[in-house]
Amino acid sequence: MVDLQGLGACCDGCASTPAAVRIARRRLLKAAVFGPAAVPAGAGPGDDHGLGFAMPGELPRAVMGKVIDVSPQVLVISQGSTELRLALTADVSAWRGGPADPEGLHIDDVAVIRLDPARRGVADRIWCNIGRVTGTIIECQDNTLLVDPGTGRERQVVVVPSRAASRIQVRYPNLRPGYLMDVIGLRWPGHLEAIVPATPQPVYPVTRLPEPPLVSGHVPGTISGSATWREPAGEPYGLLGVGYPALDPDAGCAAEPPGQAAAGFVRMPYLSVGSLLRIRNQCSGAQCVLPVTSCAPIARLFNDRCLTCATSPRGRIAELTLASFVALGGELERGCFNATITVGER
C-alpha cells in the first residue's frame, strides 16, 4: 500500500521522491555549468530565482488521503500515520461517481481534496475513489475490457456497468481490441468501474493511425492543445510533474507507439526528463513551471480536442500528475483542460 502523502502547492517541492531528487540534481548541475538564470525585471514572489515556480498560496493546494470520519462540518482524512481535519462549508461540492453530498462519503474512501485558496484548512472540492484508464483495448468480454495503458504500466481491467453503458457507448462505439479508450470512473480493488467517457473515441484503430499533418518551419516555443491527468502508478501521490509526449528517443521510453505514431499529431520538440515547461490552464488562467518527470507515448495516439471552456487545437500536449492537474484548477471528472505549454523555461 502506497503511503498517502499530502500534496503541496504546485511546484512546492516533493524532494523526498526519487524522481524529484534526480530532477533537482539535474537543475543543480545545469546551474553549475551555465550559471543561474537571471531574475527578470519585475519578478515577484511567484518567481523562484527566475524560474517562475509558484509559491504557497498562489495556487490552490490539494491533499489526498483515506476518509476516516465525516460530519456536516468536518472531514477527517488519514495520510499514512497522520490525520488531517478539514472544514466543510455549505459551498463545498463532492464527486463519487457523480455529484455527491460530502456528508455521504464512505469511510476508507480515497479522497482527493482541493483546498480553498483564501481560507486555511477549508475544503473547496472533493473527489472520492476517482480513477482513469487510458490506453488500447486488448481484450473484450461482455462488459469487461482489458486495456493496455502503455509506458510500462500494468494492464487495467475496466468494467462498464449497465447504468453507464449507453453513455459510454455513445462516445465509444468500438469497444473492440485495437481501439483506444479513455474513461473516468470509480476505482475499486482490481478494476475501474467506468462512469463517463473522458473524450470521444478516435475512429481509427492503433494499427491504422492517420498521418499527422505536415508542418514546415521551426517548432514554436508555445504550443496549444489538451492537458490531461493520470492516476499515480508507482509514484507518490504528491509528485508534481508532467508526462511529455515527445521524450527524446535516447531516453528509452517504454511502450513506444507503433510506426508512424511516433511523430504524434502535434509538432513538439524532443525533450528529456528534467526539462522545464510552463503550463497554463487557459480555462482558469492558472499557470506553473513543472518538470518533465515521465514519457506519455499513449497521448500521441489521440487526435482529440478538449472542450472544457472552448475548443482546443487537436492533440494532447501534456499528461499531468494528479496533483499538478488539481493545483492548476482542473476538474478531474472532466478529464482535461485547454492548455498552452512554453518550452525552455529556466
Side-chain angles (χ1 to χ4, degrees), residues 18-20 22-23 26-27 149-153 228-236 239-248 251-254 256 268-277 279 290-300 317-322 324:
R22 290 195 300 270
I23 292 165
R26 278 177 176 267
R27 293 181 190 142
T151 62
R153 299 184 180 186
T228 62
W229 62 273
R230 66 170 185 267
E231 285 189 72
E235 63 189 25
L239 181 65
L240 294 159
V242 56
Y244 187 69
L247 210 60
D248 193 311
C253 182
E256 287 288 339
M268 305 177 76
Y270 282 125
L271 296 177
S272 60
V273 171
S275 300
L276 299 179
L277 300 175
I279 300 180
L290 291 171
V292 175
T293 54
S294 65
C295 57
I298 291 295
R300 306 182 206 175
I317 59 175
E319 185 182 73
L320 297 169
T321 62
L322 188 149
S324 302

Side-chain angles (χ1 to χ4, degrees), residues 3 8 10 24 70 122 136 157 169 176 184 186 195 217 219 251 268 276 325 344 346:
D3 185 28
C10 185
V70 61
V122 177
T136 305
V157 176
Q169 290 178 345
R176 296 179 292 170
I184 295 169
L186 290 170
I195 302 296
V219 176
M268 305 177 76
L276 299 179
F325 189 88
R346 292 190 59 194

Side-chain angles (χ1 to χ4, degrees), residues 7-241:
L7 311 185
C10 185
C11 304
D12 190 23
C14 283
S16 62
T17 69
V21 170
R22 290 195 300 270
I23 292 165
R25 186 169 181 271
R26 278 177 176 267
R27 293 181 190 142
L28 290 175
L29 293 174
K30 182 177 179 181
V33 174
F34 297 106
V39 178
D47 291 313
D48 181 12
H49 303 291
L51 291 175
F53 286 95
M55 300 300 288
E58 292 190 1
L59 291 175
R61 289 187 60 242
V63 294
M64 191 172 194
K66 277 192 174 183
V67 176
I68 58 176
D69 192 20
V70 61
S71 70
Q73 289 81 34
V74 178
L75 172 66
V76 185
I77 62 172
S78 168
Q79 298 176 313
S81 59
T82 63
E83 294 182 1
L84 180 63
R85 299 173 65 87
L86 300 172
L88 300 178
T89 67
D91 299 328
V92 67
S93 59
W95 185 95
R96 195 180 188 278
D101 186 341
E103 298 177 41
L105 303 182
H106 298 184
I107 303 301
D108 288 336
D109 278 349
V110 176
V112 180
I113 305 153
R114 184 167 59 216
L115 303 184
D116 190 315
R119 293 176 290 181
R120 185 179 181 85
V122 177
D124 174 62
R125 186 81 165 90
I126 305 169
W127 295 270
C128 273
N129 294 349
I130 193 166
R132 182 175 192 164
V133 171
T134 306
T136 305
I137 299 172
I138 302 299
E139 297 178 10
C140 180
Q141 184 175 3
D142 298 328
N143 66 336
T144 303
L145 302 100
L146 183 64
V147 179
D148 182 4
T151 62
R153 299 184 180 186
E154 294 183 1
R155 293 180 174 182
Q156 298 286 310
V157 176
V158 176
V159 175
V160 181
S162 57
R163 62 189 175 93
S166 59
R167 185 188 304 119
I168 298 293
Q169 290 178 345
V170 163
R171 304 191 80 179
Y172 279 80
N174 293 310
L175 297 180
R176 296 179 292 170
Y179 282 86
L180 293 165
M181 169 174 255
D182 188 359
V183 290
I184 295 169
L186 290 170
R187 173 60 67 184
W188 301 107
H191 74 277
L192 180 86
E193 180 186 347
I195 302 296
V196 293
T199 61
Q201 185 182 42
V203 297
Y204 46 81
V206 293
T207 54
R208 294 200 298 272
L209 293 166
E211 290 284 352
L214 296 176
V215 180
S216 60
H218 296 290
V219 176
T222 300
I223 303 165
S224 298
S226 173
T228 62
W229 62 273
R230 66 170 185 267
E231 285 189 72
E235 63 189 25
Y237 285 115
L239 181 65
L240 294 159

